[in-house]
Amino acid sequence: GIIDRVDVAPTGEVRIVDYKTGKAPRPEYAEGALFQMKFYALVVWRLKRVIPRRLQLVYLGSGDVVTYDPVRADLERVERKLLALWEAIRQATETGDWRPRPTKLCGWCDHQAHCPEFGGTPPPYPLPVRTAGGDAV
C-alpha cells in the first residue's frame, strides 16, 4: 500500500489519511479496514519514532470519515500479528503447504478451479520444498 496523505502539525503530531473511492464498510468490517491504517502507523512509528496522533479513512462514495487514535499497545499487537503472519508464510514457503482459508467471499473467487476447497488442483509449487531434515525435495 501507499499512504495517500501524511499531515504533520507544527507540534510534530502526525495524521495519516487514506482515501477510499467506495462507501464505508458496515461496522462488522470496519476493523479490517483499520488494519491497513494501523500497519501504516506501525511503519511510521518504527521508521520515524513517532506514533501518529490520528488515522483517518475517508470514504468518498459515502462521505463518511472513520478516525482512530492509535496507542502504543495497539501498534505492538499489530506488530505481533504481522510477525506471526510472516512466520506462517515462511513455514508454508518451506513446506509448500498452502492451505485454503474459506470465507463467505469464496463464492465470488475466480480461482476456484485451482483451489482445493472447491476440488480444484493448485498449480505445481514453484519452489523446492524442504523436508524436516532441511533437504530439498
Side-chain angles (χ1 to χ4, degrees):
I2 296 174
I3 297 174
D4 290 336
R5 181 172 143 193
V6 177
D7 299 324
V8 181
T11 60
E13 291 180 317
V14 174
R15 175 176 64 178
I16 299 174
V17 182
D18 195 51
Y19 296 97
K20 301 294 186 188
T21 56
K23 297 178 182 178
R26 294 192 313 229
E28 61 266 27
Y29 298 108
E31 186 60 33
L34 275 176
F35 184 80
Q36 172 189 0
M37 300 303 290
K38 290 177 183 180
F39 174 80
Y40 292 159
L42 174 64
V43 170
V44 168
W45 177 38
R46 290 303 188 201
L47 291 178
K48 300 294 184 181
R49 295 190 171 104
V50 61
I51 294 176
R53 170 72 178 88
R54 172 146 297 167
L55 308 176
Q56 281 187 323
L57 283 165
V58 179
Y59 291 93
L60 302 174
S62 61
D64 293 314
V65 177
V66 176
T67 62
Y68 178 77
D69 298 336
V71 295
R72 180 183 182 131
D74 196 22
L75 297 183
E76 288 171 341
R77 277 191 296 278
V78 169
E79 188 171 45
R80 285 191 301 273
K81 185 175 184 177
L82 288 169
L83 291 171
L85 178 60
W86 185 251
E87 177 60 19
I89 291 169
R90 187 193 64 73
Q91 287 181 7
T93 300
E94 284 183 4
T95 63
D97 184 11
W98 296 89
R99 295 181 186 177
R101 289 186 7 194
T103 71
K104 293 184 289 185
L105 300 176
C106 287
W108 294 87
C109 184
D110 291 332
H111 303 285
Q112 292 178 8
H114 301 288
C115 182
E117 190 67 22
F118 290 90
T121 304
Y125 189 65
L127 300 174
V129 175
R130 306 227 177 256
T131 65
D135 299 326
V137 178

